[in-house]
Amino acid sequence: SQTIHQWPATLVQPVGSPLSLECTVEGTSNPNLYWYRQAAGRGLQLLFYSVGIGQISSEVPQNLSASRPQDRQFILSSKKLLLSDSGFYLCAWSVAVTNQPQHFGDGTRLSIL
Amino acid sequence: QKEVEQNSGPLSVPEGAIASLNCTYSDRGSQSFFWYRQYSGKSPELIMFIYSNGDKEDGRFTAQLNKASQYVSLLIRDSQPSDSATYLCAVNHHTGNQFYFGTGTSLTVIP
């Protein structure tokens, strides 16, 4: 069966510090991968998605970037965090065919001080 | 106009009642429709999905899809306090790559 791992679970970072969040998927090949952010009490905001190694689509221009160095690894990064980057970051995967759902990792709660 | 719209609620129902959650979408090219449950502080978990017009039942949950009217709904029968959560509606277009989420409806089941 497929599983998705996301870490760390919680993170507290000062403004201006760098960020690296990692997500890996097991049990499937060539998944579509996604990064979302959810602000407190709000909906899901799609940040990036990837349909293959090295292929990244950005949905929202900001100080975040994403990379996919391996088929089942997706990394979210920032060189300098802003206060507005606080939120709940979710990684998700889906198979690359229609009619199939996304599956989410447990999320990372990021607080910027 | 948002891709997917949901009434934010909160929706309150007594224990044992039927909870009805609704979702409308704007793109007629949408092909697949998903319902997720999200407990406070947790990640969304898939409840069920539907892609054909009509009803689809899974235990106490029934998803209903009407493509002509562009709405999808989720019925929860015999609601339990453990059903109290935010319910997210999502749609998927024919390319299969992008999912569009509503902002969610908060449901409270009162014992």
Side-chain angles (χ1 to χ4, degrees):
Chain A
S1 63
Q2 301 89 356
T3 56
I4 178 168
H5 302 280
Q6 191 180 341
W7 66 93
T10 58
L11 190 59
V12 180
Q13 293 284 93
V15 170
S17 63
L19 173 74
S20 180
L21 302 180
E22 189 165 341
C23 171
T24 59
V25 180
E26 297 178 356
T28 187
S29 296
N30 196 33
N32 288 343
L33 297 172
Y34 306 81
W35 279 111
Y36 290 89
R37 178 170 62 201
Q38 187 176 37
R42 306 292 294 275
L44 296 174
Q45 179 188 30
L46 178 63
L47 302 175
F48 302 94
Y49 73 93
S50 171
V51 300
I53 296 175
Q55 301 179 61
I56 309 294
S57 296
S58 174
E59 292 299 302
V60 183
Q62 55 206 333
N63 68 320
L64 299 173
S65 62
S67 62
R68 184 170 178 173
Q70 300 181 43
D71 180 45
R72 288 169 289 179
Q73 183 185 30
F74 205 22
I75 298 172
L76 182 69
S77 303
S78 174
K79 293 182 179 178
K80 293 181 70 173
L81 286 167
L82 307 172
L83 282 174
S84 58
D85 291 324
S86 292
F88 190 39
Y89 287 80
L90 291 157
C91 181
W93 74 272
S94 71
V95 295
V97 295
T98 55
N99 297 338
Q100 295 301 307
Q102 283 185 323
H103 303 276
F104 289 85
D106 290 337
T108 295
R109 191 158 303 281
L110 175 64
S111 299
I112 309 299
L113 303 179
Chain B
Q1 183 182 8
K2 294 182 180 177
E3 287 268 356
V4 180
E5 300 215 36
Q6 296 180 255
N7 187 327
S8 63
L11 173 66
S12 295
V13 300
E15 184 175 355
I18 296 175
S20 178
L21 305 162
N22 299 312
C23 172
T24 59
Y25 59 95
S26 61
D27 191 332
R28 288 191 175 274
S30 301
Q31 293 205 340
S32 311
F33 308 86
F34 309 89
W35 284 101
Y36 290 83
R37 177 175 61 199
Q38 186 175 23
Y39 292 115
S40 180
K42 302 295 185 181
S43 63
E45 56 178 323
L46 179 71
I47 298 174
M48 61 190 306
F49 60 97
I50 186 169
Y51 47 82
S52 299
N53 272 328
D55 295 0
K56 180 181 178 182
E57 187 174 318
D58 184 359
R60 296 186 297 112
F61 299 96
T62 299
Q64 299 175 317
L65 174 61
N66 184 322
K67 288 188 176 181
S69 300
Q70 295 179 244
Y71 83 78
V72 57
S73 62
L74 179 70
L75 301 178
I76 307 175
R77 290 182 301 281
D78 188 24
S79 295
Q80 301 296 309
S82 58
D83 295 325
S84 298
T86 295
Y87 288 80
L88 302 172
C89 172
V91 304
N92 181 223
H93 293 176
H94 65 91
T95 60
N97 291 334
Q98 290 202 49
F99 293 73
Y100 298 89
F101 283 81
T103 55
T105 298
S106 175
L107 171 67
T108 300
V109 180
I110 303 168

